[in-house]
Amino acid sequence: MTRLQQPIGSGFGHGSTASDVLKEQDLSGKHFIVTGGYSGIGIESVRALAKAGAKVTVPARNRDKAEENLGKVSGDILIAEMDLGDLNSVEKFTSEFAQGHSKLDGLINNAGIMACPLTRIGRDWESQFVTCHIGHFHLTQGLERQLKNSEGSRVIALSSTAHAICDVHWEDPHFHTHDYDKWQAYGSAKSANALFALGVDERWKSDGVRAFSVHPGGIFTPLQRHLSDEEMVVLGWKNADGTVPPAVTAMFKTPEQGGATAVWAATSPSLNDMGGLYCEDCDIAKAATEESQRYHHARDWIGSLESAERLWNMTEAMIAG
């Protein structure tokens, strides 16, 4: 783990919202892309960025839903069609974006799915690894020129505390030869997100592009759509009667708070000349120790440059077929 994986005293915290983070910033003339920016924490990131003056492009698999959800959000917001699970769709989006835009100030890879039944998409790939990682990898590579053309651009990968479940399933990331477990698949994908941010930063920082991974916090959003109430009771997120325990209420965030860390990592001047780090609660997270609780801090394996390079090469090979 890099020696810089420690808090910097950002002035924000667990309860900060995306609007709080951007309250003193003027993002006029800046352009951001937010995947999944039409629901959950994504729409709150879009709302805050647009309110601060930025132009925001939201790629959407469901354009009608995106137009409905973003219809009442003020600001310069563009909606484009894109499906992260379809690499041809990703390529179509990046090609069309490049035709109209020479620069991109920030890419927030926010979209994802969690703990879903085994589903295979693309080239017989496991859907969580594709949607959370491979699609965003291909999208980011397709926007490389625009990111490098913008001074001080940033790439933000939405990871999760779930990276603590496991490292990437290196030998079989698509669960072809070992039994599928939805939480292992999610943990593998979230570790991949963090390692991808590390890889982007290491490869592109000399061109002015920095990258961070982010744990947004626990938030009740459509991300839990594959979890039954019974499962959430077992996890301790809900009581048997459907109410939320006070301890969970204190630990979880609102969507507005959930969008804050990604927006902070994408825009904060305090992160200038930094990168490749894992963030939580609007600050750099601590490196995990034996005393770290399950829901906090960055595990060692997401700070490995060797693993970041391995993931980059592995993903490129998957895409190349």
Side-chain angles (χ1 to χ4, degrees):
M1 184 64 65
T2 173
R3 62 183 178 84
L4 295 177
Q5 188 66 62
Q6 56 189 6
I8 59 174
S10 69
F12 300 104
H14 181 277
S16 300
T17 66
S19 292
D20 292 337
V21 167
L22 295 179
K23 188 174 182 181
E24 303 299 326
Q25 292 206 52
D26 180 2
L27 300 179
S28 300
K30 302 286 188 180
H31 194 162
F32 293 80
I33 290 176
V34 182
T35 67
Y38 56 103
S39 68
I41 65 175
I43 195 170
E44 299 306 330
S45 295
V46 171
R47 191 191 313 276
L49 289 166
K51 183 179 179 181
K55 175 184 287 188
V56 187
T57 294
V58 179
R61 184 170 61 86
N62 187 331
R63 189 183 186 103
D64 290 341
K65 182 178 179 181
E67 290 177 347
E68 179 182 355
N69 290 356
L70 290 167
K72 295 182 180 179
V73 179
S74 300
D76 189 357
I77 301 169
L78 308 174
I79 299 172
E81 294 182 6
M82 188 189 76
D83 180 355
L84 283 167
D86 180 347
L87 298 190
N88 290 330
S89 173
V90 174
E91 290 169 8
K92 182 175 183 292
F93 169 78
T94 56
S95 176
E96 291 176 351
F97 186 85
Q99 291 175 20
H101 306 90
S102 61
K103 296 182 180 181
L104 178 64
D105 298 284
L107 170 61
I108 300 180
N109 289 328
N110 165 83
I113 54 176
M114 180 181 76
C116 58
L118 177 60
T119 305
R120 300 205 175 277
I121 58 178
R123 300 166 191 169
D124 201 28
W125 291 331
E126 190 277 317
S127 60
Q128 293 188 74
F129 201 76
V130 177
T131 304
C132 295
H133 171 59
I134 297 177
H136 282 126
F137 181 99
H138 203 46
L139 172 66
T140 306
Q141 283 196 319
L143 296 167
E144 179 178 357
R145 181 174 64 83
Q146 285 74 31
L147 288 162
K148 289 182 176 179
N149 282 345
S150 180
E151 183 178 356
S153 62
R154 294 183 188 171
V155 175
I156 308 303
L158 267 287
S159 181
S160 166
T161 185
H163 83 272
I165 295 172
C166 62
D167 196 353
V168 174
H169 279 232
W170 294 106
E171 302 306 323
D172 187 24
H174 298 295
F175 291 82
H176 286 134
T177 61
H178 69 297
D179 291 340
Y180 178 74
D181 178 280
K182 64 185 182 181
W183 286 112
Q184 285 286 313
Y186 187 61
S188 177
K190 294 293 102 179
S191 286
N193 290 148
L195 285 170
F196 176 53
L198 180 59
V200 169
D201 193 76
E202 186 68 14
R203 285 170 174 260
W204 295 355
K205 62 185 177 183
S206 62
D207 294 299
V209 182
R210 305 311 301 257
F212 299 87
S213 58
V214 164
H215 168 43
I219 310 107
F220 285 115
T221 71
L223 187 66
Q224 286 92 10
R225 59 185 173 274
H226 295 292
L227 298 181
S228 66
D229 285 341
E230 289 78 9
E231 286 178 288
M232 286 192 272
V233 170
V234 172
L235 289 167
W237 296 354
K238 287 187 176 182
N239 295 315
D241 62 2
T243 59
V244 179
V248 174
T249 300
M251 180 179 69
F252 271 42
K253 299 182 179 184
T254 66
E256 294 85 355
Q257 294 167 336
T261 304
V263 168
W264 175 78
T267 64
S268 176
S270 64
L271 293 175
N272 291 347
D273 302 319
M274 300 176 69
L277 299 164
Y278 174 84
C279 307
E280 61 186 12
D281 290 339
C282 301
D283 208 332
I284 304 300
K286 292 181 179 179
T289 66
E290 292 182 357
E291 288 72 40
S292 293
Q293 296 182 3
R294 160 73 175 76
Y295 295 102
H296 298 286
H297 306 159
R299 270 51 186 183
D300 286 345
W301 54 83
I302 65 169
S304 167
L305 288 173
E306 180 181 352
S307 292
E309 182 70 9
R310 181 182 182 184
L311 178 69
W312 194 287
N313 293 333
M314 183 177 79
T315 309
E316 283 192 331
M318 289 177 185
I319 292 171

